Amino acid sequence: MLNIRMEQERLKRGWKQDQVASRIGVSRSAYSNYENGNRKPDIEMVKEIAQLYEVTVDYLVGNDQAVAPEKTIIVHDPKLRAFFEQVMLSPIRQREELMRFWRFMREDSQDSEK
């Protein structure tokens, strides 16, 4: 199941095997062997692949109960993803302040468009 899910996730994003291999630090042939089921990645590599595809390890290995929540937003830009991760780890007071600032910025930009 792991190899099937890996291929599905890659194709869903329109990525080529060599692109994925480069992102996770393996050769294209190694990644191809993972997808073809000829080799099994170790648990650390499975974690790396799950993180890249923004899914859980459980999902990758075939546990259908572990599908990501409905409201998951996939962010492909690494800098933006890192920003959102930091926001989610911030204290609630800081997040509320950031939301107030964002609303202010949106209102300001809408006013300048008029």
Side-chain angles (χ1 to χ4, degrees):
M1 179 56 72
L2 173 63
N3 62 317
I4 294 168
R5 293 264 167 97
M6 286 172 57
E7 182 179 25
Q8 288 171 343
E9 292 300 318
R10 178 179 59 79
L11 294 174
K12 199 185 314 184
R13 289 160 178 77
W15 295 344
K16 295 182 178 175
Q17 286 184 341
D18 61 331
Q19 292 172 306
V20 175
S22 172
R23 290 179 183 188
I24 62 173
V26 299
S27 67
R28 190 211 53 81
S29 62
Y31 185 81
S32 178
N33 281 325
Y34 296 157
E35 269 195 16
N36 293 328
N38 297 330
R39 287 183 55 198
K40 292 192 185 289
D42 64 27
I43 188 62
E44 292 305 314
M45 183 55 64
V46 174
K47 288 178 186 178
E48 186 79 23
I49 293 166
Q51 184 176 9
L52 175 68
Y53 289 140
E54 297 176 325
V55 298
T56 64
V57 170
D58 280 341
Y59 173 76
L60 276 182
V61 298
N63 182 352
D64 289 331
Q65 303 304 316
V67 178
E70 286 181 34
K71 297 198 179 214
T72 297
I73 297 173
I74 297 174
V75 180
H76 296 288
D77 180 331
K79 289 180 182 177
L80 194 54
R81 182 181 320 124
F83 171 76
F84 284 120
E85 288 170 355
Q86 287 298 311
V87 168
M88 296 309 297
L89 295 172
S90 299
I92 188 74
R93 195 177 306 163
Q94 287 180 343
R95 286 186 282 176
E96 289 170 350
E97 185 66 26
L98 185 59
M99 290 297 293
R100 280 192 294 277
F101 180 72
W102 178 246
R103 282 192 291 273
F104 170 78
M105 293 298 294
R106 286 182 44 209
E107 290 170 6
D108 187 49
S109 70
Q110 289 171 353
D111 288 345
S112 64
E113 291 175 2
K114 293 179 184 179

